[in-house]
Amino acid sequence: MSKILVVYQSFGGKTKSLAETAAAGARSVGAETVIKEVSAVSADDFSGIGGVILATTQPFQSMAGGTKSLFERLWMGRDKIKKGIRLAIIICHMNDTKPTEDSIKAIAGHLGLEQVAGGLTVKVDEIEAGKESARQLGIAMAQGG
């Protein structure tokens, strides 16, 4: 079973709850998980992981600033990141998620991360309903897909 890094940026706790639920899903099938807030993550955290779940808010219809800063730090340490690490995205949103999804996919591709199908978008007023999908995403990541 692989180790899953769960990274989140959350302003009011909603995105954090989705990240925690995804991590719980991964643990429920035997994966080791590490949960970190985006400001505490560096390229060193990508050592020995099989996948990463990135949960971010989407203010102003774009990637949250802390998430962008994470990618900038990862770019500086990109030589430490093994190519082919699986990536799943959770976006907590109020508006169209396409700009955020496109930005994350492009940057992740440059870092050598491989996005798995079926990222998750959850409207901010539908968090409780989105938790089951987040749990299933965690399970899928732990099982390699």
Side-chain angles (χ1 to χ4, degrees), residues 89-130:
I89 302 168
I90 299 172
I91 301 172
C92 185
H93 67 96
M94 291 180 63
N95 301 303
D96 177 24
T97 60
K98 186 163 177 24
T100 299
E101 290 176 87
D102 290 348
S103 294
I104 292 173
K105 287 176 186 178
I107 296 166
H110 290 300
L111 291 169
L113 303 175
E114 293 182 7
Q115 184 171 352
V116 296
L120 176 61
T121 61
V122 180
K123 289 187 176 186
V124 294
D125 58 354
E126 297 176 357
I127 298 301
E128 288 306 313

Side-chain angles (χ1 to χ4, degrees), residues 27-126:
R27 281 192 307 275
S28 75
V29 293
E32 176 186 350
T33 62
V34 175
I35 303 173
K36 290 191 166 195
E37 199 274 332
V38 292
S39 65
V41 177
S42 72
D44 292 333
D45 292 305
F46 282 69
S47 177
I49 65 169
V52 60
I53 299 172
L54 173 64
T56 185
T57 58
Q58 179 186 268
F60 311 114
Q61 203 167 347
S62 66
M63 186 185 329
T67 303
K68 185 175 182 233
S69 293
L70 166 67
F71 281 126
E72 290 169 350
R73 287 192 311 280
L74 293 178
W75 183 254
M76 299 303 293
R78 65 189 175 276
D79 57 324
K80 297 179 181 180
I81 299 173
K82 181 181 81 174
K83 304 299 181 224
I85 293 173
R86 294 172 292 114
L87 168 70
I89 302 168
I90 299 172
I91 301 172
C92 185
H93 67 96
M94 291 180 63
N95 301 303
D96 177 24
T97 60
K98 186 163 177 24
T100 299
E101 290 176 87
D102 290 348
S103 294
I104 292 173
K105 287 176 186 178
I107 296 166
H110 290 300
L111 291 169
L113 303 175
E114 293 182 7
Q115 184 171 352
V116 296
L120 176 61
T121 61
V122 180
K123 289 187 176 186
V124 294
D125 58 354
E126 297 176 357

